[in-house]
Structure formats: C-alpha cells, structure tokens
Amino acid sequence: MSVGLGSGRADLSGRVAAGPTGFHPLALWIAAASPVAATLLLLLRLAA
C-alpha cells in the first residue's frame, strides 16, 4: 500500500495527476495577478 502525497490519484498508466480534478491552469495566473493589480492601483491612487 502506497502512502504519501498523491498516492491515491494515480491513473492506470502509472502517472500521477498534477492537481485536483477540475482545476483550471488559468486560475493560478488570476490568483497571482490579483494582488499585484490591486497594489498597482493603490499606488496610482496614492500618487494622484
């Protein structure tokens, strides 16, 4: 019995799934860009 991260998510070919089912790769970019955009907007508002 395998124990550890991702041990229960292997498919029949032996590869392990990269992430949760239904995860969209664009979501990572949106999550990373949101705080950056908010900071830039705040700096622009303070500079005005």
Side-chain angles (χ1 to χ4, degrees):
M1 177 193 308
S2 61
V3 176
L5 292 175
S7 60
R9 294 187 292 166
D11 62 8
L12 296 177
S13 65
R15 292 176 294 168
V16 176
T21 305
F23 179 76
H24 197 284
L26 184 60
L28 178 63
W29 289 105
I30 293 172
S34 296
V36 173
T39 303
L40 290 176
L41 288 173
L42 179 63
L43 291 174
L44 287 174
R45 184 171 179 178
L46 290 175

